[in-house]
Amino acid sequence: MTEPAKAKVEMEKLVSLCRRRGFIFPSSEIYGGLSSCWDYGPLGVELKRNIKDAWWRAMVQQRDDMVGLDSSILMHPRTWEASGHVQGFSDPLVECKSCHLRWRSDELESDKCPECGGELTEPRLFNLMFKTFIGPVEDDASVVYLRPETAQGMFVNFENVLNTTRKRLPFGIAQVGKSFRNEVTTGNFIFRSREFEQMEIEYFVKPETDKQWFDYWVEERINWYVSLGIKRENLKLRPHTKEELAHYARECSDINYLFPMGWAELEGIANRGDFDLVQHAKSSGKTLSYYDEEAKEHIVPYIIEPSAGVDRTFLALLCDAYDEDEAEGEKRVLLHLHPDIAPIKAAVLPLSRKEHLASFAREIYADLRKHWMVSYDDAQSIGRRYRRQDEIGTPFCVTVDFESLDDKQVTIRERDSLRQIRVPIDSLKATLRAKLGGEDLFVLPDGGKIWKE
Ligand code: GAP
């Protein structure tokens, strides 16, 4: 397969679309924003929720071997000693002796400050975990950390989950939640931020089967992105070299995506071996093992960890979906979002604001929104309204015209192909459900007809 060299869309276009249409705003913008923190607006929150729901459906709901968890963000500080984060979760930093800006020494191309050319200090390790205090006293004994990954919540609950679910190996624990890292190098919009969300799986396997399960998860996770519409040629697997493996990993591969700034990590899949359960068993004094009934012995399972970022998936989906073309005689921007991911599934558009048509259209809208996120738009020309929906990726527009009052039919317009059908209002819901599920637009319900090829 030939790999594309460059993404089709520039980051500025995505940032501008996200800002303009209410997907993403800078955090606390009225105060000038907060570096590398972002707020998801009315459309962004829907899209983000759809990503997490799609992940949960595929990774938890539809599997027998997975259970969910929602562990707290603040954990006992010894968790982070046992995991190696207190000691090892750091970047080497240098400071410019003139302008005092700090840089990651492993990312510098020369030994001078990139900003002012000044002399740099020797590298010092800088821990990426955010510290805070628990309780009313701010002393060393009350220091806790905002978790830098959701993973540890799953390791420390291994025994709880095992005892309450009676799962047999192999099985996994899945969790979606916020993580925090005081990143030194930020930028590229939501690609690397200081507060972000992860969708992580810790999959516990018999040690001798680790290779097989690692390969299985690599394939499974690539297929998940493709199932949401991401083009396969924009995804690439990058195995880590021995030198770059994290302290806990025996093997690791990144699923990279062709972002506007180049190929970069979308998800990491690691074989963590028995590192985490052994470390937490040592540190807590608890036995964290599994009784293998076939072998009649206790074993410490190995862990395969597919760890994905919600925000990076969001960015990848937007990059992949972004397009510009001409429709109905006008230039348009559109997002070819998969219907499962699209923030709004359909828009109801009455051709006029006249009261008898508006109240009729509003009834249709009220009925559809019981089932999906649907919007109602009666402002400006129908062409402008189509453009607005195309730009946010709404798969279908339902147009209500004066004839609808008599024939009790409405028109459904498909975003990508611009084809239209006319269907009885009685079968509108069933038709939309089928089309959102992937059925061709021209498969018609009883009484339906093709309106525009
Ligand atoms: N538990 C393993 C772990 O956290 P990681 O490679 O450090 O591994 C996993 O992170 C995923 O989390 C990344 O592939 C990325 O999608 C997301 N991620 C990590 N740091 C991030 C950041 N600063 N901003 C946004 N997403 C981030």
Side-chain angles (χ1 to χ4, degrees):
M1 187 176 31
T2 44
E3 287 156 4
K6 204 165 160 287
K8 264 174 55 190
V9 54
E10 294 122 46
M11 192 70 97
E12 296 76 54
K13 282 195 175 169
L14 292 180
V15 175
S16 151
L17 172 66
C18 285
R19 177 81 194 77
R20 188 169 71 246
R21 297 307 311 271
F23 281 95
I24 299 173
F25 309 120
S27 159
S28 28
E29 195 178 11
I30 59 166
Y31 292 104
L34 181 66
S35 169
S36 295
C37 296
W38 301 94
D39 293 347
Y40 286 78
L43 292 177
V45 71
E46 296 299 334
L47 202 156
K48 202 177 186 205
R49 200 208 312 247
N50 293 341
I51 293 171
K52 292 186 277 185
D53 285 351
W55 185 87
W56 196 266
R57 257 195 320 274
M59 299 297 132
V60 183
Q61 185 181 322
Q62 293 173 5
R63 299 184 63 108
D64 288 331
D65 58 351
M66 196 76 71
V67 292
L69 186 80
D70 184 10
S71 66
S72 67
I73 287 174
L74 300 177
M75 299 179 70
H76 196 291
R78 283 182 50 204
T79 306
W80 306 109
E81 285 164 24
S83 69
H85 282 83
V86 170
Q87 268 224 309
F89 193 55
S90 36
D91 283 341
L93 278 201
V94 289
E95 187 173 324
C96 172
K97 290 180 181 170
S98 310
C99 70
H100 299 288
L101 281 178
R102 290 179 169 188
W103 307 94
R104 263 176 69 169
S105 61
D106 54 338
E107 288 182 350
L108 286 179
E109 279 164 14
S110 91
D111 57 359
K112 297 280 179 240
C113 171
E115 184 71 15
C116 71
E119 203 186 323
L120 299 168
T121 61
E122 284 299 305
R124 271 192 311 147
L125 287 180
F126 170 76
N127 197 293
L128 301 185
M129 284 196 294
F130 280 101
K131 271 185 193 172
T132 186
F133 300 96
I134 197 156
V137 184
E138 294 191 4
D139 61 10
D140 284 353
S142 58
V143 166
V144 288
Y145 301 96
L146 301 189
R147 67 179 177 203
E149 59 175 14
T150 69
Q152 299 301 324
M154 296 183 266
F155 303 138
V156 301
N157 276 294
F158 171 71
E159 220 195 350
N160 286 337
V161 171
L162 200 58
N163 291 342
T164 51
T165 64
R166 306 165 61 88
K167 285 280 171 207
R168 316 301 309 157
L169 291 184
F171 76 92
I173 308 180
Q175 162 152 248
V176 179
K178 289 258 175 162
S179 294
F180 303 81
R181 295 182 191 178
N182 199 1
E183 298 280 4
V184 180
T185 316
T186 54
N188 289 322
F189 197 27
I190 53 171
F191 177 80
R192 181 172 287 116
S193 45
R194 295 198 163 107
E195 174 179 340
F196 54 97
E197 264 184 290
Q198 290 184 307
M199 305 180 284
E200 295 199 293
I201 291 170
E202 304 304 333
Y203 198 74
F204 302 90
V205 304
K206 290 189 179 173
E208 64 278 13
T209 63
D210 63 339
K211 181 76 191 116
Q212 158 200 339
W213 285 110
F214 180 83
D215 294 345
Y216 166 87
W217 277 109
V218 166
E219 176 105 10
E220 193 72 4
R221 294 299 306 142
I222 289 180
N223 290 343
W224 183 76
Y225 291 107
V226 173
S227 77
L228 293 185
I230 291 194
K231 291 171 208 73
R232 181 63 185 84
E233 66 266 27
N234 289 338
L235 294 168
K236 185 161 78 171
L237 198 66
R238 193 188 72 82
H240 284 206
T241 60
K242 280 232 149 37
E243 294 67 47
E244 64 180 323
L245 282 178
H247 61 279
Y248 52 74
R250 296 171 159 249
E251 186 176 2
C252 186
S253 278
D254 292 341
I255 299 176
N256 281 3
Y257 178 78
L258 185 59
F259 288 102
M261 66 283 184
W263 290 98
E265 179 186 339
L266 176 60
E267 166 160 352
I269 297 160
N271 176 355
R272 301 181 70 121
D274 60 5
F275 178 85
D276 305 278
L277 292 180
V278 166
Q279 283 297 107
H280 286 301
K282 252 196 247 164
S283 180
S284 66
K286 299 270 188 279
T287 311
L288 300 179
S289 64
Y290 170 89
Y291 185 66
D292 183 346
E293 277 170 9
E294 274 165 34
K296 305 265 177 276
E297 60 177 3
H298 286 274
I299 58 168
V300 180
Y302 274 22
I303 296 171
I304 309 299
E305 177 192 64
S307 173
V310 178
D311 314 78
R312 285 189 195 177
T313 306
F314 190 116
L315 188 59
L317 283 164
L318 279 191
C319 292
D320 235 74
Y322 187 92
D323 203 0
E324 292 172 15
D325 69 1
E326 229 183 77
E328 291 135 1
E330 276 182 51
K331 277 208 152 74
R332 68 167 178 168
V333 168
L334 82 157
L335 295 180
H336 297 283
L337 288 173
H338 189 287
D340 286 356
I341 295 300
I344 306 290
K345 309 300 181 199
V348 176
L349 314 176
L351 267 194
S352 145
R353 281 183 169 170
K354 289 222 164 71
E355 182 45 36
H356 58 306
L357 190 65
S359 55
F360 188 72
R362 282 205 169 272
E363 266 176 44
I364 296 172
Y365 169 55
D367 192 32
L368 294 183
R369 67 196 297 203
K370 287 182 205 150
H371 305 272
W372 301 285
M373 283 304 295
V374 176
S375 75
Y376 184 89
D377 188 0
D378 61 4
Q380 299 180 309
S381 74
I382 191 73
R384 293 286 273 282
R385 285 183 267 166
Y386 284 153
R387 290 301 87 75
R388 279 203 285 273
Q389 296 303 327
D390 295 340
E391 198 185 37
I392 61 169
T394 306
F396 299 105
C397 287
V398 175
T399 314
V400 187
D401 53 32
F402 286 106
E403 256 183 274
S404 306
L405 296 170
D406 297 326
D407 67 3
K408 304 285 181 278
Q409 298 209 340
V410 288
T411 308
I412 302 177
R413 169 195 180 266
E414 195 179 58
R415 176 195 66 204
D416 296 352
S417 67
L418 304 171
R419 296 182 303 170
Q420 297 185 20
I421 56 172
R422 193 157 176 96
V423 300
I425 294 169
D426 284 349
S427 45
L428 177 60
K429 258 187 318 213
T431 308
L432 271 182
R433 183 166 291 115
K435 307 306 172 202
L436 287 166
E439 186 185 73
D440 188 89
L441 189 75
F442 284 173
V443 175
L444 298 169
D446 279 352
K449 48 182 171 283
I450 293 174
W451 202 244
K452 189 180 159 213
E453 301 257 359

